[in-house]
Amino acid sequence: MILGLLFACILFIVFATAKWKLHPFLSIIASTYIFALGTNLIGKLSGQEVPIIADIGATITSGFGGIIASIGLVIIFGTIIGKVLEKTGAAIKMAEVVLRLLGDRHPAIAMSIIGWIVSIPVFCDSGYVILSSLKKSLAKRSGVSVVTLSVALSTGLYATHTLVPPTPGPIAAATNVGIGSSGLFWVIIIGIIVSIPVALAGHIWARTVASKLPTSLDEATETFEEYKARFGKLPSTWAAFGPIALPLLLLALGSIANFPIGTDVDGNKEMLMRGFAHTLFTFLGAPVNALFAGVLLAIFTLLPKRDEENLTKLMGDGLLDAAIIIMITGAGGALGSVIKATPIADYVKSLVSDNAAMVGVGALILAFLIAAVLKTAQGSSTAALIITSTIMMPLMPSLGLMEMMGTVPLGQILTVMAIGSGAMAVSHVNDSYFWVVSQFSGMNLKTAYRAQTMATLVQGLTGIIVVCILGAIFL
């Protein structure tokens, strides 16, 4: 009965956000209370011994506060870095570097790679707006279809948006499934591995299907050179890539510092680094510290003037963007806390004990399907990542998703990848990104469905296939 109530609460979240247009934060909190009160009622009416949540308010509050305490600053710092890159022309500089390497010979590949890089720190819809003029001017110079370049750019952006931190969605999902700070570097590495074939699938769709579709884009629109002129002098290559590269480097050093090489005579773990080096790199490699270093680097290398306009307004804009994600993440933490206070995990364990199909790879497919249903119904990839990871976390030990490979929490990481793949499928009319892509590319609704929506479906399916292959090998 409790498991059935949980499914009903998931359906409520879908219905409330899709039909009633209720904000995901309120729909998750409402479903949390419904589930908690319903579990209490089932416990009182059932003849079986069902643990009752004694203090619903305390359970919800601890879950909400606990998840924000662990991930709140990471989301804020990641969002601020993305905002600075967006507003200072650093994202444009990244695009220029890729174009300089590829030239005009491979415009579709260039757009996919540019999108793939830019969306690691920058939200995909903002990244698309920033790079829209580049896509248009490149189409004019190369003679390649605008729709082809539009889909190549949009799918490149989308691939890393749901799979690779420090984008807030994957960070929140990783925290929700119990991946600690030392495992975040491996989330990035495996996210990059999974996102490459996902981006390639979007690129192939752009070249084979989208290239045949029409556009009504006005040829007199602003060129990339004109758009670039708005920023004046662009930052250097090192300054543009630095705020992304530095946190990744520090996370890598933190993971290396804590890499065990054996045990000492007393049975304690020996680390690859010792003494001061171990302490230093463990400190710098903590996600919150690594991302804060990225924020400081962005401020001192990208902001031409450290005045009120930049240090107050720009940072404030980043905080506003982060606030919504943090609130949804906290609501997801509250729901997860309530779920963990019930005997659902024990029931799922007994349910799957005689059904091998529901363990390992089968469980990854389940995570993908839940995320895909939530994404398709309510439109937000970030919300789908957060809600699904919250639902999956208490069930993961029973589903065989807590496997370790040495010190790498591989089962949890693959769960995040499966959820991220589901959070792609599909982008349609209830997703703001769908409208950004279609309107900035001159696509009518029919063309946008064939070009963008189907491309995101292909990407999501490609992602879960790659994840399942990895799961079959390692889980």
Side-chain angles (χ1 to χ4, degrees):
M1 291 177 68
I2 296 174
L3 189 61
L5 178 62
L6 176 59
F7 285 133
C9 289
I10 296 172
L11 291 176
F12 172 80
I13 294 171
V14 171
F15 186 82
T17 53
K19 187 70 175 178
W20 296 343
K21 307 302 180 185
L22 192 65
H23 193 279
F25 170 77
L26 290 176
S27 65
I28 298 170
I29 289 294
S31 68
T32 300
Y33 275 101
I34 293 170
F35 183 71
L37 293 170
T39 301
N40 271 282
L41 182 61
I42 290 170
K44 291 177 180 178
L45 297 179
S46 174
Q48 300 177 353
E49 286 292 327
V50 179
I52 301 173
I53 302 172
D55 191 339
I56 294 174
T59 303
I60 291 175
T61 302
S62 64
F64 186 91
I67 199 70
I68 289 180
S70 63
I71 198 65
L73 284 175
V74 173
I75 291 175
I76 289 172
F77 294 154
T79 306
I80 288 176
I81 290 173
K83 184 63 68 174
V84 173
L85 294 177
E86 173 188 340
K87 297 297 185 181
T88 59
I92 294 292
K93 183 64 179 182
M94 293 178 192
E96 273 200 329
V97 172
V98 175
L99 283 179
R100 194 183 308 136
L101 295 173
L102 295 175
D104 294 340
R105 294 169 298 171
H106 308 288
I109 292 178
M111 295 311 299
S112 294
I113 294 174
I114 289 168
W116 186 89
I117 294 172
V118 169
S119 198
I120 291 175
V122 178
F123 282 103
C124 59
D125 47 1
S126 297
Y128 195 89
V129 173
I130 293 167
L131 298 169
S132 182
S133 295
L134 169 61
K135 166 205 67 186
K136 297 169 189 173
S137 62
L138 193 56
K140 292 176 185 177
R141 295 207 309 258
S142 64
V144 175
S145 162
V146 171
V147 179
T148 299
L149 298 187
S150 297
V151 176
L153 175 60
S154 70
T155 53
L157 288 161
Y158 212 39
T160 47
H161 176 71
T162 64
L163 294 172
V164 183
T167 306
I171 287 182
T175 302
N176 285 346
V177 300
I179 297 175
S181 59
S182 60
L184 186 59
F185 171 72
W186 294 107
V187 178
I188 295 171
I189 295 300
I190 295 178
I192 288 173
I193 292 171
V194 175
S195 69
I196 290 173
V198 168
L200 182 61
H203 174 78
I204 293 171
W205 186 267
R207 292 288 299 272
T208 58
V209 177
S211 60
K212 302 172 184 177
L213 300 176
T215 179
S216 60
L217 195 66
D218 182 6
E219 290 297 322
T221 52
E222 183 181 41
T223 66
F224 175 61
E225 288 74 16
E226 291 169 340
Y227 180 75
K228 185 174 69 173
R230 296 186 192 178
F231 295 96
K233 184 180 179 181
L234 293 179
S236 67
T237 300
W238 293 108
F241 283 93
I244 307 174
L246 179 61
L248 295 181
L249 174 63
L250 294 178
L251 287 169
L253 289 173
S255 294
I256 293 171
N258 288 284
F259 189 80
I261 57 173
T263 56
D264 59 21
V265 292
D266 298 322
N268 300 314
K269 284 186 179 180
E270 281 192 295
M271 301 301 176
L272 190 62
M273 294 184 184
R274 300 178 178 86
F276 177 75
H278 177 268
T279 302
L280 175 64
F281 290 122
T282 298
F283 166 74
L284 294 175
V288 65
N289 299 333
L291 283 165
F292 184 59
V295 171
L296 293 177
L297 186 63
I299 290 173
F300 286 102
T301 60
L302 292 176
L303 297 182
K305 295 181 180 179
R306 287 177 283 280
D307 53 13
E308 183 178 356
E309 175 69 20
N310 287 318
L311 294 181
T312 301
K313 187 177 184 304
L314 185 59
M315 298 300 131
D317 290 342
L319 290 173
L320 286 175
D321 289 347
I324 296 174
I325 300 166
I326 290 174
M327 291 301 100
I328 296 174
T329 303
L335 176 58
S337 181
V338 171
I339 293 173
K340 282 186 283 187
T342 71
I344 278 186
D346 295 332
Y347 177 69
V348 170
K349 185 175 181 178
S350 66
L351 189 67
V352 303
S353 59
D354 298 323
N355 187 359
M358 284 296 293
V359 179
V361 172
L364 294 174
I365 295 174
L366 174 64
F368 168 83
L369 291 174
I370 294 173
V373 168
L374 287 167
K375 164 63 180 176
T376 303
Q378 52 82 37
S380 170
S381 294
T382 302
L385 277 157
I386 293 169
I387 297 169
T388 308
S389 57
T390 298
I391 294 168
M392 289 298 297
M393 198 281 174
L395 312 179
M396 288 170 61
S398 303
L399 296 173
L401 296 176
M402 299 298 287
E403 294 291 326
M404 300 286 291
M405 190 175 73
T407 59
V408 181
L410 193 62
Q412 293 158 285
I413 293 173
L414 290 180
T415 302
V416 174
M417 297 299 109
I419 295 169
S421 299
M424 295 181 183
V426 293
S427 173
H428 63 105
V429 292
N430 63 357
D431 181 6
S432 61
Y433 189 50
F434 173 88
W435 293 110
V436 168
V437 173
S438 61
Q439 296 306 303
F440 276 83
S441 305
M443 301 181 198
N444 60 32
L445 193 60
K446 181 180 178 181
T447 298
Y449 264 111
R450 293 174 65 189
Q452 175 67 8
T453 301
M454 291 304 297
T456 60
L457 176 60
V458 169
Q459 285 191 289
L461 293 174
T462 301
I464 191 58
I465 289 170
V466 173
V467 171
C468 286
I469 292 172
L470 293 174
I473 296 171
F474 296 110
L475 293 184

